[in-house]
Amino acid sequence: MSDALIELRRRLAEVADLENLGQLLAWDQEVVMPPAGAEWRAQQRATVERLAHERFVDDRVGELLDTAVPESELDRDLIRVARRDFEVARRVPGDLVEELAHASATGHEAWLRAREDSDFALFEPALRRNVDLRRRWIACFPEAERPYDALLDHWEPEMRTAQAEDALARLRDGLVPLVAAAPPGDDALVHGGPFPNDAQRRLVATILAQVGVEDRRWRLDDAVHPFAATLSPGDLRLTTRYADDDLDSIFSTLHEYGHGLYEANIDQALARSPLGTGVSSAVHESQARLWENMVGRSSGFWRWCFPHLRAAMPERFGDRTWEDVHRAVNLVQPTLIRVSADEVTYGLHIILRFELEVAMFEGDLDIPDLPEAWAQRTRAYLGLEVPDHATGVLQDVHWAEGLFGYFPTYALGTIVSGQLWCRLGQDIPDIDERFAAGEFGPLADWLAEHVHRYGRRLTPTEVVERATGGPLDPGPYLAYVRAKLAGASARLIA
Amino acid sequence: MSDALIELRRRLAEVADLENLGQLLAWDQEVVMPPAGAEWRAQQRATVERLAHERFVDDRVGELLDTAVPESELDRDLIRVARRDFEVARRVPGDLVEELAHASATGHEAWLRAREDSDFALFEPALRRNVDLRRRWIACFPEAERPYDALLDHWEPEMRTAQAEDALARLRDGLVPLVAAAPPGDDALVHGGPFPNDAQRRLVATILAQVGVEDRRWRLDDAVHPFAATLSPGDLRLTTRYADDDLDSIFSTLHEYGHGLYEANIDQALARSPLGTGVSSAVHESQARLWENMVGRSSGFWRWCFPHLRAAMPERFGDRTWEDVHRAVNLVQPTLIRVSADEVTYGLHIILRFELEVAMFEGDLDIPDLPEAWAQRTRAYLGLEVPDHATGVLQDVHWAEGLFGYFPTYALGTIVSGQLWCRLGQDIPDIDERFAAGEFGPLADWLAEHVHRYGRRLTPTEVVERATGGPLDPGPYLAYVRAKLAGASARLIA
């Protein structure tokens, strides 16, 4: 192997280690750190992020990328992806990065206060600063055809705003009438509680063991805002949250398992390199939503899981059936709050935010007009009136922290999950029966083979096209929703 | 502040952050990491250690140390200590550091196998390699008067071998006759169990809360080999171990609390700098042994603690008194194994190892003769015959990992703990009564004021002399042991 290639691999491995270390610092802070550690931890995280950045954007890395001689396809992929990352990372000057981080922290503070008082004006200056700084960030990428392209590309490499607009408009136009016509129902069976904490924990442990989580590689812990962290291919950590009055711990855990399993199944030859992680936010989210929804709300899953649920909480479920639970966890009913939205209306919450982001950065939507634009779209897409800012435009943390271009990846991930699910149904026609038998291995193997193992060796578009046989298309997801709602209507009539 | 001083502080803060991260990686590995993470974690730890080293020994740090203009006593201390560390860190070439690390890992493997078979010959080649490499390491410090000075200075800055020999010989000559004449007794009350695990946990939690551990800054977790880790001034982590058949969890926890409290009380203005940690291994160990022994085996402690012990384990302690427990935890009785030695004989185990280390590096003790030298000293100091290598020369991991010069700091710490205890008795004459009332704050405050707060601003010698009023002296510790044994004899006669 050429010296340059060896040195390049070593450098990239160091940066990958530092990035995994950043995940450890974050996991530790959310899960185990004593609270008085917070201010020091912020400095430790800043040090690791700065070092990872400095070591990567060093001129020497540029020289190595130019001189390293690839000896395999893997080397070629490594150099191509590392070069792309390198060029992006060198675009943004260090002082802008620091200003963005500072504005993010102060924006978070301002948002907390504004949300408490439901007062959008309190939040306006911080949001304006975040938008202005992000415009300066966009200006670092003058080759972007549209300003929003730069934002989107950061999370969804090579995706263009026009593509996202097209796919999400088709999703929106399909979902709005479906939601409006969704059959009424009642999910009181899985809401309102009490669902004893220890019973939920036992049930979640049973589910994770069945889907393939082994203590040798995985952990599950509690966190206020659930997330998954990958510390290495041998160290995968999920978090979840147990509420007394709902069973969301099941869906939250499956969601994070989807993220974790993606990272777990990446070819280990890619570890400690920029190739060794998920390819994009949307593809990652597709895995999370597939396990949360396509698996976790399927009839097969509940045929397998219901006896365990009944055994864990016999008072509540002793005289109920799997069909009762299956119906309750599939209810479609618009709500004001994104994070408590059902599977189907969730996409509309995202599309609303995406459209407003594009309008803020490219259109004529001025910040003071944001609440009204929010209210209008909530009415149009969900049929609901927004009573105050706290349950409207102030409900999410993303914009407070200067995070723009990320929201659409949630809905793009949903679209991809629909395409994967459709293809899975062709390759494993009896998948629902397999779930009913407690067999989740065939699904996990299929995903490993068609999506996970590549890491970043393929582009997001290549991953989707190879796995699903075609380009980004909301059709399969809409068909999946239509079938689900038709089933619910049929049950209602019957 | 001069630009050079600002840059120097920033550089040193970065290195301090990386060192704390190394502690997090170690803590996480011992306490929470899934086992399959081990091989990757080793690489992550190597990356962080290499980066911390590289960033510190950089030529630029040398320039900054030369040009930074101190503006305060604190700055002067910072530059002095950083310069000393810098000069030491630059002495040892990188390839020797790597060889030492590799020999340490393979030595550990060889030791595990040799100990299992109780076969010293299996261990000899690895030990010889560790000794040879350490001789090369010693050669990097040609200004050392004696070879062992370089080893000792690494753990106990500015301590000379001659000083350690003098202090430890006096300690040995005092302890050997005291141990030989120690009154017989029986500690079956606190050994043999069963001591229910959950009862021990509740008791340990009660003790920690009473001595001053708050959840806001501290954690307590389980670990196979207990240790303390300081992740920041706001994040102090203790570990302990619960065995069914003894109450060592109490003493192990107090020991680690002694280490943790030292770090917790260092002036926070010294954080994120080389001044912001304990000054030496011996002074650190003095804190651990003071809490483990002077506190944990005092009559005052057991007058306070006994009702909690009885409430936690009423079957065993319902009809016993605090005096019964106090007597049992203070029994002096020679054993072959260092880690299960009592408070008093422990020092003799250490002195034996120190003398053999000095003879290996400076005298004519050849490695094949080590077992015989071990057996001779065990006979002379403890009055015991060594039946096999596993319970003799192969019992400790230190030499297997190439760790030489560290053992004596355990006994030097014991000596310092005796001097501090003597001074404490003058400053707080009713300290035993305070313990009996559950008041440990006066002790903690005294230690913070006289030892902890300085961090590394003073030298170890300065810390000991200011706190105790004199130089290193085993006299007070021997007096403490004599008084304890006299009390035990008096009880025996009465």
Side-chain angles (χ1 to χ4, degrees), chain A residues 10 13-15 17-18 20-21 24-25 27-28 31-41 43-44 47-48 50-51 54-55 215-219 231-237 268 271-272, chain B residues 10 13-15 17-18 20-21 24-25 27-28 31-41 43-44 47-48 50-51 54-55 215-219 231-237 268 271-272:
Chain A
R10 200 182 54 72
E14 180 185 277
V15 172
D17 283 344
L18 288 171
N20 282 331
L21 201 52
L24 172 59
L25 286 167
W27 178 89
D28 184 84
V31 176
V32 298
M33 188 186 77
E39 65 171 306
W40 309 96
R41 179 54 57 90
Q43 291 170 319
Q44 292 165 347
T47 292
V48 168
R50 194 182 58 244
L51 266 178
E54 278 179 19
R55 305 287 289 181
D215 289 347
R216 212 178 59 80
R217 284 178 87 191
W218 298 80
R219 282 186 65 91
L231 273 59
S232 77
D235 186 351
L236 302 143
R237 304 191 184 183
Q268 292 203 6
R272 302 185 77 225
Chain B
R10 200 181 54 73
E14 181 185 274
V15 173
D17 283 345
L18 288 171
N20 282 331
L21 285 180
L24 172 58
L25 286 166
W27 177 89
D28 184 84
V31 176
V32 298
M33 190 186 75
E39 64 171 306
W40 308 96
R41 178 55 54 89
Q43 291 170 318
Q44 292 165 348
T47 293
V48 169
R50 194 183 58 244
L51 266 178
E54 277 180 20
R55 304 288 290 182
D215 289 348
R216 213 179 59 80
R217 283 179 88 191
W218 299 80
R219 282 185 66 89
L231 273 58
S232 76
D235 187 350
L236 302 143
R237 304 189 184 184
Q268 292 205 4
R272 304 184 77 224

Side-chain angles (χ1 to χ4, degrees), chain B residues 295-358:
Chain B
V295 178
R297 299 181 204 277
S298 66
S299 63
F301 178 83
W302 283 105
R303 282 188 279 160
W304 167 75
C305 191
F306 181 70
H308 299 285
L309 174 66
R310 189 169 49 196
M313 303 174 207
E315 326 70 43
R316 190 167 188 109
F317 295 99
D319 60 353
R320 309 306 291 257
T321 65
W322 74 262
E323 289 94 337
D324 295 334
V325 178
H326 180 241
R327 196 177 308 126
V329 300
N330 280 289
L331 181 68
V332 175
Q333 195 163 49
T335 56
L336 286 166
I337 304 295
R338 174 181 63 87
V339 295
S340 53
D342 64 71
E343 173 190 4
V344 175
T345 55
Y346 189 83
L348 293 171
H349 288 269
I350 297 306
I351 291 164
L352 175 159
R353 287 154 177 77
F354 167 66
E355 291 174 349
L356 297 181
E357 284 189 355
V358 174

Side-chain angles (χ1 to χ4, degrees), chain A residues 123-164:
Chain A
F123 179 51
E124 257 193 65
L127 178 57
R128 188 176 302 282
R129 181 157 178 238
N130 280 340
V131 170
D132 289 346
L133 284 171
R134 200 48 77 175
R135 286 214 168 91
R136 281 175 52 199
W137 186 89
I138 289 169
C140 300
F141 302 90
E143 74 280 14
E145 282 178 38
R146 292 173 50 173
Y148 198 85
D149 280 354
L151 295 175
L152 185 59
D153 189 88
H154 187 68
W155 302 106
E156 202 55 34
E158 302 183 12
M159 171 79 71
R160 297 287 163 268
T161 307
Q163 278 175 281

Side-chain angles (χ1 to χ4, degrees), chain A residues 233-247:
Chain A
D235 186 351
L236 302 143
R237 304 191 184 183
L238 310 177
T239 61
T240 193
R241 199 171 64 88
Y242 302 92
D244 285 343
D245 61 350
D246 63 44
L247 289 175

Side-chain angles (χ1 to χ4, degrees), chain A residues 76-97:
Chain A
R76 260 181 285 279
D77 291 339
L78 178 71
I79 292 169
R80 176 175 47 77
V81 169
R83 188 191 304 282
R84 186 187 200 281
D85 291 351
F86 179 75
E87 282 164 6
V88 169
R90 281 172 64 109
R91 287 297 183 83
V92 185
D95 58 349
L96 178 54
V97 171

Side-chain angles (χ1 to χ4, degrees), chain A residues 1 52 79 85 87 103-104 123 133 187 227 271 320 430 465 478:
Chain A
M1 211 188 283
I79 292 169
D85 291 351
E87 282 164 6
S104 171
F123 179 51
L133 284 171
D187 64 354
F227 63 99
R320 308 306 289 258
D430 64 340
E465 296 199 349
L478 288 168

